[in-house]
Amino acid sequence: MVVHQEYGEQFKIDTFEKLMPENSKALEKYLSSGAIKGIGPATARKIIEKFGEETINIFKFEPLRLSEIRGISKSKAYEIGEEFNEKWELWQIVGFLEKFGVSSNNSKKVYDALGKDAVQKIQDNPYVLVDIVYGVDFNKIDRIALELGIPKNNDDRIKSGIKYALLISSYNGNLCVKKENLEEFLSQNLEVTDEEIENNLINLKVKEEIVIEERENGGTWIYLYPMYKVEKNIAERLTLIKNSRNIKYIKSFEKDINSQETILGIKLSEKQYEAINQINDNNVSIITGGPGTGKTTIIKFLIEIYKSHGRKVVLCAPTGRAAKRMSEATGEDAKTIHRLLEIGKIEDDKIHNVDVNVTPIDGDVIIIDEMSMVDSFLMNYIVKAIYLGSKIVLVGDSNQLPAVGPGNVLQDLIDSNKFAVVSLNKIFRQAAKSKIIVNSHNVNQGISFIGNNQKEEDSLDDFFYINEQTQEKMLNQVLTLSNGRLKNYGNYDFFKNIQVLTPTKKGMLGTKELNNSLQNVLNPKSDEKLEKQYGLTLFREGDRVMQVKNNYDIYWERGTSKDFRNYENGTGIFNRRTWKNYKNQ
């Protein structure tokens, strides 16, 4: 038992080992559980009665003898023996891998990669785990390997150290590392010489596991091969799209802009006019600017102009929320990039996969919003899916949220000076009324934000800063604001207008505890409401829930078919759909 500073008393497990059954009674219980396909309780009893204490040896070394049991053919006996031995091997390596920091969930992956002699192969070279298991702790593996007697200057150790250092750098958003920085890091952490590092860098380069790039402006940079390939693909493909014939060019474009100004009742700024015009002149265009600078207005104009000429405009964004906001602002359907490209969930160990299959984008003009959140791998999938002759419009604010994955695509494309870019810097009068928008620009410029009591003429009271020193007081502020104060202030209803954001999952102000506290206050227990316990979470009828795992194939219904006015059905549940009542799922 240990006492955690924030969470109190906890039971801490250092290690555990899962044991295969050793006697006939335990083995019968194991076989009866359905662990081996084709063996139920009755068959398990017959096997134990027939072979007794020799049962395990029969499974391991003479599986065909299982056909002596009535109902088991020779082919079935062979299949049962194969499955039993695979599970036996897996159980042998689960405990062994635990000390390397490899979870039992990844044991099957290691077994599939290394085969039946997995334990021996890992003992000979523990560093093979770095290539097999995504996110494994190199330092833990390294410590055990050194204890096993592997020397510090072992080539496998140095090569794994190089790849691990580059991978760690990618977690921080980098596609490559300066060679001198990498060498300094490795010499300090691995305690090896520069010559030993250099030899292994060359070895990895020959095997195309890394790329060493000598740049014209000086400096040598090291990439993991997938990182280099994805960056090269983006540069080459965008250049190809840019230089293709501008077949979507519209001769009457300026006249169309003026017509839309009249139809929409909007007078464009000089920069907005320039931005829209450059899209007609270029196959690849970038529009950047902070909130309130008119990016959405530009998108609306583009949709209407191209639609009037029978051209298809495709709208997309990197997240479900951004796509939903895009739809609401334009009145047109917008999809997440993953859904547009029909990319399902990518497993952790395939996150850096350059060659994911994507569905080509059927569109004349592809507009991607919130580009700051698009990483290099996702951008690679996008450019692979765009036909030559289509136009691509990248819209975003490089000061907004960065991509989770490696790469700084939007800013790098702007800095390259290779593509048409218009930067919007004027905050429009309507947007300037909002303290939220004004403060976002102030923060980017290093200016203190406008406080609660500072109010310019005709400005909105939409920004408040409340300073509290304790978690208890912070929690009270969140609960009272959500449960009445904002309702009284501006008729903001929690279930329609309010979202609570927190930077952590655990603790009094983490997502888990906050959700429980908000549920107790806003949707308390009632005999009239259905409840369902799932794990440690209690779902109650009327709760607001978020879809955190996309499933594009599942069929769903909402309401009842008898009440046709409120009945909905469809295919696909994903995170841009907000359910007001979990029961209706």
Side-chain angles (χ1 to χ4, degrees):
M1 299 303 296
V2 297
V3 178
H4 191 280
Q5 185 177 355
E6 191 171 350
Y7 310 121
E9 193 172 53
Q10 295 180 330
F11 185 68
K12 181 180 179 182
I13 299 172
D14 290 323
T15 60
F16 76 93
E17 185 179 355
K18 191 173 182 179
L19 300 175
M20 280 293 277
E22 295 182 352
N23 55 51
S24 57
K25 185 176 180 182
L27 185 59
E28 182 180 346
K29 187 177 179 182
Y30 169 68
L31 295 174
S32 298
S33 70
I36 305 296
K37 186 179 178 181
I39 300 180
T43 304
R45 192 177 309 112
K46 291 177 184 176
I47 292 172
I48 297 300
E49 287 174 355
K50 174 74 175 176
F51 300 112
E53 297 296 330
E54 289 297 310
T55 301
I56 290 178
N57 286 332
I58 295 295
F59 272 104
K60 290 180 72 175
F61 306 114
E62 300 179 89
L64 290 179
R65 285 194 61 192
L66 292 170
S67 61
E68 296 174 19
I69 305 296
R70 188 172 181 179
I72 300 179
S73 64
K74 286 191 176 182
S75 61
K76 190 67 180 175
Y78 179 79
E79 289 175 9
I80 290 172
E82 283 281 295
E83 186 176 351
F84 180 89
N85 282 303
E86 181 177 320
K87 283 186 165 60
W88 182 275
E89 291 287 341
L90 272 173
W91 276 25
Q92 297 299 308
I93 68 173
V94 165
F96 176 75
L97 290 175
E98 192 274 340
K99 64 183 179 182
F100 290 96
V102 177
S103 69
S104 56
N105 293 333
N106 283 312
S107 298
K108 180 72 163 60
K109 194 179 296 181
V110 175
Y111 176 81
D112 289 342
L114 300 180
K116 294 181 179 180
D117 298 326
V119 172
Q120 184 60 51
K121 288 174 182 175
I122 295 167
Q123 285 176 330
D124 293 340
N125 176 19
Y127 301 103
V128 295
L129 294 173
V130 176
D131 291 329
I132 298 171
V133 183
Y134 180 81
V136 73
D137 187 350
F138 172 83
N139 294 319
K140 182 176 282 190
I141 291 173
D142 190 42
R143 187 169 61 251
I144 295 172
L146 294 174
E147 289 173 1
L148 291 173
I150 291 177
K152 287 184 177 180
N153 64 350
N154 176 275
D155 286 339
D156 289 325
R157 177 176 185 256
I158 298 171
K159 283 185 287 190
S160 289
I162 291 169
K163 289 187 285 185
Y164 184 73
L166 293 171
L167 192 61
I168 288 295
S169 182
S170 77
Y171 298 159
N172 295 320
N174 302 304
L175 286 165
C176 57
V177 174
K178 276 188 174 181
K179 184 181 178 184
E180 58 264 34
N181 293 344
L182 178 64
E183 288 176 334
E184 182 181 354
F185 174 83
L186 293 169
S187 62
Q188 289 178 357
N189 287 273
L190 300 185
E191 298 179 10
V192 291
T193 67
D194 289 346
E195 183 182 355
E196 289 164 339
I197 296 170
E198 185 68 33
N199 289 338
N200 282 284
L201 284 172
I202 293 169
N203 195 308
L204 287 170
K205 180 184 177 182
V206 169
K207 293 181 179 179
E208 292 192 338
E209 294 186 61
I210 66 167
V211 172
I212 302 175
E213 183 182 65
E214 302 286 348
R215 295 191 179 171
E216 292 178 2
N217 59 356
T220 303
W221 296 77
I222 313 292
Y223 291 78
L224 282 171
Y225 182 74
M227 306 288 181
Y228 179 81
K229 188 176 179 183
V230 79
E231 189 169 74
K232 190 168 183 284
N233 286 353
I234 293 169
E236 291 179 347
R237 186 69 183 173
L238 275 180
T239 302
L240 193 59
I241 295 169
K242 171 193 168 184
N243 294 333
S244 295
R245 192 161 63 89
N246 189 357
I247 59 177
K248 310 299 181 187
Y249 181 83
I250 298 172
K251 291 181 180 179
S252 61
F253 206 73
E254 291 195 24
K255 183 180 176 182
D256 293 335
I257 295 174
N258 296 331
S259 297
Q260 287 302 323
E261 283 186 313
T262 303
I263 294 168
L264 297 174
I266 297 172
K267 181 62 180 175
L268 295 173
S269 71
E270 187 178 329
K271 279 287 186 182
Q272 286 179 308
Y273 198 88
E274 179 189 344
I276 296 174
N277 254 319
Q278 83 164 10
I279 291 160
N280 190 40
D281 295 332
N282 297 276
N283 288 333
V284 180
S285 303
I286 300 170
I287 300 169
T288 181
T293 56
K295 297 190 296 293
T296 301
T297 299
I298 291 171
I299 294 173
K300 288 179 181 177
F301 268 72
L302 291 173
I303 292 169
E304 295 304 322
I305 291 171
Y306 281 106
K307 278 174 63 178
S308 70
H309 286 271
R311 303 283 169 79
K312 183 176 180 180
V313 179
V314 175
L315 306 179
C316 62
T319 67
R321 180 165 292 278
K324 183 181 180 184
R325 190 167 59 245
M326 203 178 185
S327 292
E328 291 169 347
T330 63
E332 300 288 333
D333 184 43
K335 296 179 178 179
T336 63
I337 296 169
H338 280 77
R339 191 174 183 222
L340 178 66
L341 302 178
E342 297 184 8
I343 301 172
K345 183 181 185 297
I346 300 174
E347 299 299 325
D348 284 346
D349 60 340
K350 293 183 175 62
I351 284 175
H352 297 149
N353 188 349
V354 180
D355 300 316
V356 169
N357 290 325
V358 297
T359 299
I361 301 173
D362 177 22
D364 299 300
V365 182
I366 296 94
I367 302 175
I368 306 172
D369 200 9
E370 300 290 1
M371 263 300 300
S372 68
M373 290 190 283
V374 175
D375 66 38
S376 294
F377 283 83
L378 188 53
M379 187 63 185
N380 178 53
Y381 304 152
I382 293 167
V383 296
K384 281 174 63 177
I386 294 176
Y387 289 111
L388 296 182
S390 295
K391 288 182 178 289
I392 179 169
V393 183
L394 310 177
V395 183
D397 177 3
S398 56
N399 291 316
Q400 283 282 11
L401 282 173
V404 174
N408 189 20
V409 176
L410 179 62
Q411 191 60 54
D412 285 351
L413 291 177
I414 294 170
D415 292 342
S416 72
N417 295 317
K418 299 289 184 182
F419 304 99
V421 179
V422 171
S423 297
L424 306 172
N425 48 28
K426 176 186 174 183
I427 306 176
F428 285 86
R429 185 173 178 274
Q430 193 64 31
K433 293 179 181 180
S434 168
K435 287 183 184 176
I436 295 172
I437 289 176
V438 172
N439 282 328
S440 69
H441 286 270
N442 286 353
V443 168
N444 285 335
Q445 296 168 33
I447 303 171
S448 296
F449 55 66
I450 300 170
N452 305 348
N453 299 322
Q454 296 169 266
K455 184 175 180 181
E456 298 178 8
E457 186 179 352
D458 202 26
S459 67
L460 301 173
D461 281 329
D462 60 356
F463 178 93
F464 296 91
Y465 175 71
I466 301 170
N467 188 9
E468 294 291 2
Q469 302 299 319
T470 67
Q471 292 191 49
E472 289 77 14
K473 288 183 178 180
M474 293 177 199
L475 177 61
N476 182 61
Q477 289 281 8
V478 171
L479 295 178
T480 56
L481 282 165
S482 300
N483 190 32
R485 283 168 62 192
L486 286 172
K487 179 81 172 175
N488 296 333
Y489 172 74
N491 199 30
Y492 296 111
D493 178 77
F494 179 83
F495 289 94
K496 294 179 181 177
N497 312 112
I498 298 171
Q499 183 169 11
V500 181
L501 303 180
T502 179
T504 183
K505 288 185 178 180
K506 297 180 179 179
M508 186 183 293
L509 298 174
T511 53
K512 295 179 181 178
E513 290 300 323
L514 263 179
N515 275 329
N516 290 337
S517 299
L518 288 164
Q519 184 188 53
N520 291 336
V521 169
L522 296 157
N523 189 28
K525 186 176 179 63
S526 167
D527 293 338
E528 299 176 358
K529 295 178 181 178
L530 295 173
E531 293 182 349
K532 181 176 180 62
Q533 186 80 32
Y534 185 79
L536 298 177
T537 303
L538 176 69
F539 290 95
R540 183 173 293 137
E541 184 180 347
D543 282 345
R544 281 177 66 183
V545 300
M546 180 184 291
Q547 188 71 29
V548 295
K549 185 175 181 180
N550 295 347
N551 186 329
Y552 298 111
D553 302 318
I554 193 171
Y555 174 78
W556 58 267
E557 291 181 298
R558 187 174 184 180
T560 62
S561 55
K562 293 179 181 179
D563 183 10
F564 68 91
R565 291 180 180 175
N566 296 315
Y567 176 74
E568 291 180 86
N569 68 351
T571 302
I573 297 179
F574 45 97
N575 62 4
R576 61 173 282 204
R577 179 177 299 280
T578 302
W579 296 90
K580 294 181 180 178
N581 185 327
Y582 86 89
K583 181 177 71 172
N584 291 330
Q585 290 190 61

